[in-house]
Amino acid sequence: MEVTVLVGSQWGDEGKGKIVDILSDRYDFVARYQGGANAGHTVIIGDQQFILHLVPSGILRENVKCVIGNGVVIDPQALLDEIQFLESSGISTKGRLFISHNAHLIMPYHKLLDQINESGANKIGTTGRGIGPCYIDKYARKGIRIVDLLDRNVLKEKIKLNLEEKNNLLKKVYNHAELDVEKIINEYVEFDKQIDQYITDAPSLLNNAILEGQSVLIEGAQGTMLDVDHGTYPFVTSSNPTSGGACTGTGIPPTKISSVFGIVKAYTTRVGNGPFPTELFGDEGEELRKTGAEFGATTGRPRRCGWFDAFLLNYSRMINGIERTAITKLDVLGYLDEIKVCVGYEKNGKKLKSYPTDISQLENVTPVYETLKGWRQDISGARSFNDLPAECKEYLSFISQESGIEIKIISVGPKREQTIEL
Ligand code: IMP
């Protein structure tokens, strides 16, 4: 049975929410494998807009079951707000949403430490949602997991132990007021009462479903270039959004993965700090940002915008093993007379053979561009490939050839119906 991994191919915000929504009615399960409420997946159905941070957007299809995998870090308040929002919008989560017992919990000190770190000299430009500090505790083997909620004594003991250390750090290093242990314990006990019904042994649930012939779409958050191993380190998130993370983040073994689907925006954006070789500045960048409404779904921050980078996409294809892609926001480029596509990088006059992820190199490359003719028209009403202007088809053919990708879905607007399947 089909088990597909869906990844963001650039720096996140490729429009994964919409494509997961389109694809999810072909799957029995949609499972999220990493990240947390730093993600913001926007789906528009009719006149209603849904922005989901933790729950996979498959929840919007009533026959689909959704899993928050063990690789995700869960902010209790963000999760409860989202469940409440879905229920009040008439979308039932009962019996359809499952939370892995091995997922880690974001604690109040994680958010605080994220904000304190970001106020120092080494700013990453994080979302401030406590993601990095939570993964630090996970790998330091001090984390508090969903399963710990099931035994009050274990939970209290773990919170007490963690707070002893964190309060010391807050007081002695950061000169910050201590956090109240009892208040935090009460908050998390309260949280458990509300999410207890969703807690599951998710690896068994998913693997049994696959054995019974059911299909799974494994959904990543963020994007390849934000991967802690393969991205533009240190300007990355603290998890593995690349396809490799799908196995560790859900408990589905590599032998069960059938294919990898990449989501690619028709141009490039990035939120937060770090190198971005094809970035556009001044009026050019501003116009692309405005036309594409490039403002973060989680933080509202303006996204940095730039030309499509085929060299980067080639790297992303290699790291993820991307076979098929969906290209999103193609309609946004309709205002341009000419469109540039980066086909490689040069350093000291020499063309680079492979993608440099060392930022000291990446900060000093010169992108090599090819210029294509723009189509200068609104394509948001196109419903088949033949409705697209010749220059637009040329653009698609050029970027797929340069990046080595096969385009299977073209999105020409945020609505479900603004989608062309090839
Ligand atoms: P963190 O994930 O909040 O720690 O942030 C680390 C980096 O990843 C920052 O540059 C963020 O702007 C970026 N980031 C985190 N989540 C997203 C996302 O969903 N879309 C785009 N960028 C993100």
Side-chain angles (χ1 to χ4, degrees):
M1 230 338 127
E2 183 69 24
V3 180
T4 309
V5 181
L6 183 140
V7 294
S9 310
Q10 293 145 319
W11 272 289
D13 306 316
E14 294 92 354
K16 292 182 287 295
K18 171 179 164 169
I19 304 301
V20 170
D21 174 58
I22 298 285
L23 295 177
S24 56
D25 72 340
R26 300 163 205 181
Y27 291 84
D28 298 299
F29 280 87
V30 178
R32 166 99 177 260
Y33 62 88
Q34 45 69 233
N38 48 350
H41 294 162
T42 307
V43 183
I44 296 178
I45 303 170
D47 295 330
Q48 221 179 341
Q49 173 170 282
F50 297 86
I51 300 180
L52 299 168
H53 301 284
L54 279 165
V55 179
S57 31
I59 202 79
L60 305 175
R61 302 272 187 186
E62 64 179 337
N63 296 325
V64 177
K65 294 192 178 95
C66 289
V67 176
I68 299 180
N70 57 278
V72 177
V73 286
I74 298 178
D75 176 349
Q77 198 51 52
L79 179 63
L80 289 178
D81 287 350
E82 209 158 300
I83 290 174
Q84 201 178 11
F85 162 69
L86 287 165
E87 293 283 343
S88 66
S89 309
I91 291 154
S92 171
T93 55
K94 312 241 161 30
R96 296 185 53 222
L97 176 65
F98 303 90
I99 301 171
S100 172
H101 58 342
N102 285 342
H104 280 245
L105 284 163
I106 297 207
M107 306 299 291
Y109 44 82
H110 293 140
K111 287 195 222 174
L112 192 56
L113 289 168
D114 195 358
Q115 283 148 21
I116 290 174
N117 288 339
E118 283 293 290
S119 62
N122 296 323
K123 280 191 183 56
I124 301 292
T126 72
T127 57
R129 300 296 192 263
I131 306 296
C134 184
Y135 280 113
I136 290 175
D137 278 356
K138 170 174 174 171
Y139 290 103
R141 293 156 293 175
K142 294 175 184 163
I144 299 176
R145 302 192 295 176
I146 290 283
V147 68
D148 297 325
L149 294 171
L150 303 177
D151 184 327
R152 293 283 188 273
N153 292 331
V154 170
L155 177 69
K156 285 179 188 170
E157 205 43 47
K158 286 201 170 177
I159 294 181
K160 273 186 193 155
L161 263 177
N162 268 282
L163 267 163
E164 215 171 284
E165 184 201 320
K166 297 298 187 290
N167 272 338
N168 240 331
L169 183 72
L170 286 170
K171 200 167 75 180
K172 294 188 181 146
V173 179
Y174 299 116
N175 202 17
H176 194 283
E178 291 186 18
L179 298 177
D180 185 336
V181 183
E182 289 308 319
K183 185 168 171 271
I184 296 177
I185 291 176
N186 290 339
E187 265 173 38
Y188 281 72
V189 167
E190 221 23 69
F191 167 63
D192 174 50
K193 287 184 192 152
Q194 297 184 61
I195 67 138
D196 199 58
Q197 59 179 314
Y198 301 105
I199 302 175
T200 312
D201 169 2
S204 296
L205 174 76
L206 289 166
N207 280 291
N208 286 336
I210 294 168
L211 277 180
E212 283 164 13
Q214 300 197 52
S215 54
V216 185
L217 181 63
I218 318 178
E219 175 196 20
Q222 289 86 43
T224 301
M225 305 312 285
L226 288 172
D227 186 282
V228 68
D229 286 284
H230 302 293
T232 49
Y233 191 89
F235 297 101
V236 291
T237 192
S238 304
S239 62
N240 289 114
T242 49
S243 56
C247 294
T248 50
T250 57
I252 297 175
T255 44
K256 293 283 187 283
I257 306 289
S258 331
S259 64
V260 181
F261 199 98
I263 313 299
V264 182
K265 199 185 286 194
Y267 47 96
T268 314
T269 60
R270 164 164 212 170
V271 202
N273 304 343
F276 179 0
T278 63
E279 183 168 11
L280 285 167
F281 298 95
D283 291 347
E284 272 189 300
E286 192 54 39
E287 196 163 12
L288 187 49
R289 178 160 40 251
K290 266 200 194 144
T291 316
E294 293 295 351
F295 297 89
T298 299
T299 58
R301 289 182 291 176
R303 296 180 185 139
R304 298 157 66 191
C305 297
W307 298 120
F308 187 88
D309 189 339
F311 193 48
L312 177 153
L313 213 73
N314 243 306
Y315 169 71
S316 178
R317 180 182 53 74
M318 173 186 83
I319 289 291
N320 292 299
I322 293 172
E323 290 147 331
R324 296 165 295 154
T325 60
I327 183 156
T328 60
K329 299 190 100 163
L330 186 61
D331 54 304
V332 171
L333 300 179
Y335 73 95
L336 289 158
D337 287 325
E338 287 185 334
I339 308 176
K340 287 187 181 173
V341 175
C342 170
V343 293
Y345 295 165
E346 274 181 0
K347 197 170 169 229
N348 302 327
K350 279 199 185 132
K351 215 165 168 184
L352 299 189
K353 287 199 176 82
S354 56
Y355 198 89
T357 45
D358 168 11
I359 57 156
S360 62
Q361 273 209 64
L362 196 53
E363 272 165 349
N364 293 305
V365 297
T366 308
V368 179
Y369 290 110
E370 292 276 341
T371 304
L372 280 82
K373 242 180 117 186
W375 45 94
R376 286 216 56 100
Q377 56 177 287
D378 179 11
I379 56 162
S380 61
R383 294 293 176 267
S384 78
F385 188 70
N386 285 336
D387 293 342
L388 297 173
E391 294 85 354
C392 185
K393 289 180 183 160
E394 179 52 35
Y395 183 70
L396 292 174
S397 144
F398 187 77
I399 61 171
S400 68
Q401 199 180 320
E402 285 295 323
S403 327
I405 54 168
E406 187 189 356
I407 298 172
K408 296 302 276 181
I409 295 179
I410 302 166
S411 172
V412 293
K415 297 186 175 158
R416 272 181 179 167
E417 60 272 21
Q418 291 175 303
T419 309
I420 300 168
E421 293 211 33
L422 304 175

